[in-house]
Amino acid sequence: MSEPISDRPLDPYLDILGLDLPPDRLNEALDSFRSVLEEIRKLRELDLTDIHPCVIFEPTAAYRKEPGA
Amino acid sequence: MSTTELWARPIESLAPAIRDGKLSPVTLTEAYLDRITRLDGKLKSFVCLAPDALKQARQAHEEIRSGSWRGPLHGVPIGVKDNYLTADMPTTAGTTAPGIEFARRDSAAAARLRVAGAVLIGKTRMHEFAWGNVTPPVRNPWNLDRVPSGSSGGSGAAVAAGLCAAALGSDTGGSIRMPASACGVVGLKPTFGRVSRAGIVPHSWSLDHAGPLTRTVADTAHMMAVLSGYDPADPASQDRAVPDYTRALGKPIKGYRIGVCRNHFFERNQEAVKQAVEAAIYDLAAQGAQVIELKIPNLEFGLAAIYAIELASSTAYHDRSLRAGRTAHFTPDVRTLVEMGRLVSAPDYLKAEQLRTVLTEDFRQALDKVDVIVGPTTPITAWKVWEWSVKVGTKSESVLAASWRFTFPYNLTGLPAVSVPCGFDKEGLPIGLQIAGRPFDEATVLRVAHAYERTHEWKDAMPAL
């Protein structure tokens, strides 16, 4: 568990994203993320307000029986 | 029967000989082990061989001799990608990072193969944690200076080189179909929910698929007969009847509606790929199929969606390793990808899942008009080892961006898609034709693939090693 969040300013990478990396690794990750972000920015432009995401909560899954049970 | 040619035979040829007592599984297993010993030093497709491979073969031999033939895979040596758990061999998922260990028990697919009497001959090499398309240090049997693609590169190379009769692969963005295309073999990503992933080291839960790589379409049908079916241990598994896939083979495709999506799938391909795939479409039409050109919208947003889902999921799976600092021991490319996943925001992830809904509907509408959608499996043939960008037309682009462009839409939509060989480029590198269909309609996909395959001789071509 990391230190409690006190009154100090939040670090967007460490506190919000949980990305606990030394500066050189963080820069590497950010630099590599550029091409991904370029694509994601296109997606952000789409209005998908009325679209249900492909994520379905299935409350009976835990009750599925093993074969032969 | 000459043992020197056994390794070149597909399961559809080996199985009757084994069943009729004309070929012993022991002889067959010895032939593959001998070939592995002679060739795998340069291919590096296996990470380990089953210590009891010959014992498994002898057991199959005895059973068959006593009249208990279990089916077409009985006594047939199969390679297993190293992210499938196996009881008798260690699993590494392609990593050498310390502190990461996997259980010694059979994955659902391995267990099904054992019940079918297959000889699990060894574990095939994969890109670390299935997070890549190169599979170092595996080499492509058609040209040892080229990659086999990935992440199931060991499986693709091993089947192409005749080191096993078939192999298991896994496919999150194209990892069965890309190496199948690059190595000149058949690779099927079944419908999401058709083949259990229980006991496969996860990469991205909602994108991962399990499936086979084989020499022929009929062999894929035989593998699917064993691998398919409901498994409550896989939350995505669906309880649906499994058809006899072999019954779809050898049937005419006259009147079948073949969809050709000209946007996305034909916008940027190497010239040899374009020509081979156009010729394949022409050949399908010559068999009486109706070619229907169509446009599927929103594909240009697919790359963002699969990046967001795959990165976020992989990072969530590797969270323990990240927090423990073990990712420092991952290979540099995989380490960066796993660290980078935390940069994907939750709204972006969910927007990606919303786009999946849109794409799934777009494909449903397309598949209302056609029976299958065909196109290239990849826009490029196998690239040189350590080459990170390739020229496609006049544009240079990264091999990662190019290689999975046509495969990942079917991971996002969960539709069945097969890659079947459809020719070679001028450097002798294989080209793959991708055929996709409706959910749980692998039978139609295989029927069309087989109709194409049997009117060509690509499946008989073997690399000179």
Side-chain angles (χ1 to χ4, degrees):
Chain A
M1 190 72 182
S2 49
E3 288 179 20
I5 295 171
S6 57
D7 295 335
R8 67 175 169 79
L10 293 178
D11 181 317
Y13 299 111
L14 179 64
D15 297 319
I16 297 174
L17 298 177
L19 201 47
D20 187 6
L21 296 176
D24 62 320
R25 289 304 308 162
L26 181 59
N27 286 335
E28 171 79 24
L30 289 171
D31 198 43
S32 298
F33 194 64
R34 283 176 194 275
S35 58
V36 175
L37 187 59
E38 202 172 306
E39 296 298 325
I40 287 177
R41 286 173 71 182
K42 295 180 200 167
L43 186 60
R44 288 176 182 165
E45 293 298 312
L46 276 181
D47 183 354
L48 300 176
T49 308
D50 298 324
I51 305 295
H52 194 288
C54 273
V55 178
I56 299 166
F57 171 58
E58 212 283 77
T60 69
Y63 299 86
R64 289 187 188 191
K65 287 190 167 42
E66 295 292 327
Chain B
M1 180 176 287
S2 165
T3 57
T4 55
E5 60 184 16
L6 289 176
W7 54 267
R9 295 185 172 207
I11 295 170
E12 56 182 307
S13 161
L14 296 169
I18 291 173
R19 180 195 61 205
D20 298 341
K22 293 175 183 165
L23 171 63
S24 165
V26 178
T27 307
L28 181 61
T29 304
E30 285 174 340
Y32 283 124
L33 289 173
D34 174 63
R35 194 161 165 83
I36 291 168
T37 301
R38 285 191 292 111
L39 296 177
D40 210 38
K42 49 187 172 183
L43 289 173
K44 296 182 172 54
S45 61
F46 279 93
V47 282
C48 80
L49 295 175
D52 65 342
L54 284 171
K55 186 180 169 192
Q56 295 177 58
R58 278 192 289 272
Q59 185 183 338
H61 173 79
E62 291 303 324
E63 281 183 13
I64 294 163
R65 200 170 63 169
S66 66
S68 300
W69 184 68
R70 300 192 199 183
L73 300 190
H74 201 174
V76 174
I78 308 287
V80 179
K81 186 176 178 178
D82 197 23
N83 56 354
Y84 285 71
L85 300 183
T86 41
D88 57 347
M89 292 176 276
T91 298
T92 72
T95 193
T96 55
I100 296 176
E101 291 184 358
F102 300 102
R104 280 284 195 112
R105 60 179 167 80
D106 275 343
S107 53
R112 279 177 171 269
L113 288 174
R114 289 195 205 277
V115 169
V119 174
L120 302 192
I121 194 168
K123 303 294 282 283
T124 56
R125 201 179 297 275
M126 57 182 281
H127 205 111
E128 188 177 30
F129 292 116
W131 231 147
N133 59 353
V134 184
T135 325
V138 186
R139 299 299 174 102
N140 192 310
W142 291 95
N143 184 329
L144 296 175
D145 293 331
R146 305 280 173 152
V147 300
S149 192
S151 64
S152 313
S155 293
V159 174
L163 306 189
C164 54
L168 292 174
S170 64
D171 191 316
T172 302
S175 286
I176 288 173
R177 292 159 288 157
M178 291 191 294
S181 177
C183 296
V185 299
V186 178
L188 174 70
K189 181 200 80 64
T191 311
F192 191 70
R194 174 85 288 181
V195 175
S196 173
R197 293 114 15 107
I200 300 177
V201 177
H203 173 38
S204 180
W205 297 280
S206 71
L207 296 168
D208 294 344
H209 297 66
L213 293 95
T214 64
R215 293 280 313 283
T216 68
V217 175
D219 287 5
T220 291
H222 290 310
M223 288 285 283
M224 284 297 292
V226 168
L227 296 172
S228 303
Y230 178 60
D231 180 5
D234 177 353
S237 182
Q238 289 207 25
D239 192 2
R240 289 170 177 255
V242 178
D244 179 355
Y245 296 111
T246 61
R247 293 187 69 178
L249 309 181
K251 302 271 177 64
I253 57 165
K254 187 176 180 183
Y256 270 47
R257 297 165 301 168
I258 307 289
V260 178
C261 177
R262 287 290 174 192
N263 64 299
H264 189 80
F265 294 96
F266 286 84
E267 285 168 354
R268 228 170 38 252
N269 294 315
Q270 285 178 341
E271 189 58 30
V273 172
K274 181 183 159 194
Q275 287 180 12
V277 171
E278 295 291 358
I281 293 166
Y282 179 88
D283 293 343
L284 291 170
Q287 292 190 44
Q290 182 188 357
V291 175
I292 297 174
E293 305 233 345
L294 43 86
K295 186 175 181 196
I296 299 174
N298 297 306
L299 281 163
E300 66 269 33
F301 304 107
L303 184 58
I306 197 156
Y307 268 147
I309 297 165
E310 193 171 359
L311 281 165
S313 303
S314 170
T315 300
Y317 173 73
H318 290 290
D319 183 60
R320 185 170 54 193
S321 292
L322 257 175
R323 285 187 287 111
R326 281 196 285 270
T327 50
H329 302 283
F330 290 5
T331 49
D333 58 331
V334 175
R335 178 187 184 182
T336 300
L337 287 162
V338 169
E339 290 172 348
M340 198 163 77
R342 281 206 173 270
L343 298 171
V344 177
S345 73
D348 287 337
Y349 171 83
L350 283 164
K351 197 145 190 183
E353 294 287 5
Q354 286 175 295
L355 185 84
R356 272 179 110 168
T357 301
V358 173
L359 273 181
T360 303
E361 175 60 22
D362 292 339
F363 272 90
R364 187 193 67 77
Q365 288 185 21
L367 287 162
D368 279 347
K369 301 185 189 89
V370 297
D371 298 299
V372 291
I373 298 169
V374 304
T377 305
T378 64
I380 56 176
T381 53
W383 57 96
K384 287 179 182 159
V385 174
W386 303 122
E387 190 173 55
W388 300 108
S389 65
V390 287
K391 203 167 183 185
V392 187
T394 55
K395 190 180 170 189
S396 184
E397 63 179 312
S398 84
V399 288
L400 174 62
S403 62
W404 70 336
R405 189 156 61 229
F406 306 149
T407 51
F408 73 69
Y410 297 115
N411 295 79
L412 286 171
T413 54
L415 300 172
V418 70
S419 179
V420 61
C422 71
F424 294 87
D425 69 7
K426 64 183 180 190
E427 295 184 71
L429 298 165
I431 297 167
L433 175 72
Q434 183 170 233
I435 304 167
R438 300 186 189 102
F440 294 95
D441 194 12
E442 284 83 3
T444 297
V445 168
L446 295 180
R447 179 170 174 161
V448 175
H450 189 250
Y452 174 78
E453 180 192 69
R454 68 185 169 142
T455 53
H456 298 79
E457 294 176 349
W458 310 123
K459 70 177 187 303
D460 302 320
M462 294 293 292
L465 284 162

